Amino acid sequence: MIVRHLNELAGSTFDVDTPTWSSVRLLVKQDGAGFSLHDTRIKANTETEIWYKHHVEAVYCIEGEGEIEVLESGKVHPITPGTLYVLNGHEKHLLRGKSDMRMICVFNPPTTGQEVHDADGVYPLD
């Protein structure tokens, strides 16, 4: 059994901060669960280009407002608390925070916990 608290991971190597988002990786590949779980904050008035070329990501918004734009189609979807989106087609997208947003993210395959997006917006496959 794994039991963790968000506050225990703050400031650790599993707490990643970038100019547009920060993320505490609560469950990672080394835990052996077959997926990873992140508590992610999207910073207000930011835009991040992302492409999970190697991962399927499910995201559930619990705080804040923003939007996701699918780059291929130009379709924009609003994000508010209670919104779930799943990037099951590895869609390149823009994630915009209109306010600070708090998102719970699940990745398959699991991440190692230290990833940041590369120049293409991709997390490398471990």
Side-chain angles (χ1 to χ4, degrees), residues 35-50:
F35 62 93
S36 57
L37 179 71
H38 307 185
D39 187 323
T40 299
R41 295 188 184 266
I42 306 302
K43 297 175 183 178
N45 305 310
T46 63
E47 178 178 90
T48 307
E49 185 172 336
I50 305 171

Side-chain angles (χ1 to χ4, degrees), residues 35-82:
F35 62 93
S36 57
L37 179 71
H38 307 185
D39 187 323
T40 299
R41 295 188 184 266
I42 306 302
K43 297 175 183 178
N45 305 310
T46 63
E47 178 178 90
T48 307
E49 185 172 336
I50 305 171
W51 179 27
Y52 293 118
K53 181 167 119 176
H54 308 294
H55 298 84
V56 171
E57 181 193 31
V59 179
Y60 183 68
C61 178
I62 57 175
E63 291 177 10
E65 294 186 17
E67 62 187 23
I68 183 170
E69 179 179 347
V70 179
L71 290 176
E72 183 176 300
S73 68
K75 177 80 174 159
V76 177
H77 303 273
I79 300 171
T80 58

Side-chain angles (χ1 to χ4, degrees), residues 8-29:
E8 294 170 0
L9 296 171
S12 75
T13 59
F14 297 107
D15 185 358
V16 178
D17 186 42
T18 78
T20 60
W21 57 269
S22 62
S23 183
V24 177
R25 283 69 190 277
L26 293 161
L27 193 65
V28 296
K29 182 178 181 178

